[in-house]
Amino acid sequence: MVSVFSRPRPPLAPTAAAAGAEPAREFGRAGRAGTRTGAARVTGAALVTGASSGIGAALARRLGAEGTWDLVLTGRDPERLRAVADASSASALALDLTAPGADRRLADFTLATVGPVDLLVAGAGVGWAGEFREMPAHAIDEVLETDLTATLRLVRLLLPDMVAAGTGRVVLVGSLAGCVGVRGEAVYSAAKAALGAFADALRQELRGTGVGVTHVIPGVVDTPFFERRGAPYRRSRPRPVPPERVADAIRDTAVRRGRDEVYVPGWLRLPCRVRGATPGLYRRLAARFG
């Protein structure tokens, strides 16, 4: 296991300091053992966001266990991220992706640590539960910035190197809420729906470049997400799946097979297809069964 260490943090730009942004913390692999320049055979360089817990942490452990990835992780919780990075033999930069300049700082850190990435998994996300008319304005901004805008900015920075190399994959972790809309999660549903539309449009734009785009659509996942959004998950169905199941689907179906869409569990295709083909029927069913 490669030890994790802290690096001195450059001074914050005035805009970030004025906004009260949380200081970023960097961790790196000593000597970068097993990187592109080392003796170990490397699959490629990968960046995983939202890696301090949940799906991102589970995927980091899966990729780290393979021992062939130059892996960079990011997340908001420095201590959790440190533990995941240590278990995954990864480099990591703890920061809030919604902070001014965070996308550029993460991109620069990644390029300096492992070089251009072959795989970007955008898994960072937050939610908010409750009636939209009661949702504070700052919560609207946080959900949209974290779940949509920050991801778009990061993809924009890392994509040109993928296109130049003629290879790579962008994996965008969406949600069933973005396909069908969920009561009490109007803004989260809107952000994830926009992410799905972005995946479709970007995939068409990149056709012929060698760069693929995968939209991962999980249902309810057993992670701290529900505690952090302000309300636990109380429905009897669909039942939550472990984050490791989503991580396996990302690794096996998105990364290895290059699929455009991945549903976890697979039966979630049905409500999404019904919603798309017969929206009126879907609305009647949703009104009756929730």
Side-chain angles (χ1 to χ4, degrees):
M1 181 180 297
V2 180
S3 61
V4 180
F5 61 91
S6 297
R7 294 177 177 173
R9 178 181 176 274
L12 278 173
T15 53
E22 181 181 347
R25 304 188 191 181
E26 299 177 14
F27 316 110
R29 291 177 292 174
R32 293 181 59 205
T35 65
R36 293 175 181 273
T37 57
R41 182 174 178 269
V42 172
T43 299
L47 169 61
V48 180
T49 73
S52 54
S53 65
I55 296 171
L59 179 63
R61 294 188 179 99
R62 291 291 194 266
L63 297 181
E66 293 182 2
T68 59
W69 287 94
D70 280 339
L71 190 57
V72 174
L73 311 176
T74 188
R76 287 186 174 186
D77 189 315
E79 296 308 315
R80 287 178 180 268
L81 186 65
R82 180 188 290 272
V84 175
D86 190 34
S88 308
S89 296
S91 301
L93 176 62
L95 47 64
D96 180 352
L97 283 174
T98 67
D103 54 338
R104 171 59 66 181
R105 182 165 190 186
L106 177 59
D108 289 346
F109 174 80
T110 302
L111 290 171
T113 305
V114 299
V117 298
D118 304 283
L119 171 66
L120 167 61
V121 180
V126 298
W128 190 91
E131 298 297 319
F132 176 68
R133 62 182 180 273
E134 299 173 357
M135 189 174 185
H138 71 83
I140 296 174
D141 294 341
E142 182 184 17
V143 171
L144 292 177
E145 283 285 329
T146 305
D147 296 356
L148 180 63
T149 308
T151 293
L152 268 58
R153 288 173 176 161
L154 187 60
V155 172
R156 184 180 63 86
L157 291 175
L158 298 178
L159 189 60
D161 282 332
M162 290 185 179
V163 173
T167 185
R169 180 153 296 272
V170 176
V171 178
L172 304 173
V173 180
S175 169
L176 176 64
C179 294
V180 300
V182 175
R183 180 178 177 176
E185 297 182 65
V187 177
Y188 178 75
S189 297
K192 291 301 187 178
L195 195 67
F198 172 68
D200 286 338
L202 185 63
R203 188 181 303 114
Q204 295 178 42
E205 181 180 321
L206 295 174
R207 186 172 289 117
T209 66
V211 180
V213 178
T214 298
H215 182 205
V216 179
I217 306 161
V220 183
V221 185
D222 187 10
T223 72
F225 172 86
F226 293 99
E227 297 174 10
R228 294 169 184 166
R229 74 173 186 170
Y233 182 75
R234 292 193 173 94
R235 297 183 58 168
S236 59
R237 61 175 186 264
R239 296 181 64 181
V241 300
E244 290 77 14
R245 182 171 176 180
V246 184
D248 287 342
I250 293 174
R251 180 194 60 189
D252 298 338
T253 309
V255 178
R256 293 178 178 173
R257 299 179 189 173
R259 297 286 178 83
D260 290 344
E261 284 187 334
V262 179
Y263 292 86
V264 188
W267 66 262
L268 291 181
R269 291 183 180 86
L270 178 59
C272 293
R273 296 293 185 263
V274 172
R275 170 66 179 82
T278 57
L281 173 62
Y282 176 82
R283 293 189 189 103
R284 290 194 294 273
L285 293 172
R288 180 175 180 181
F289 298 105

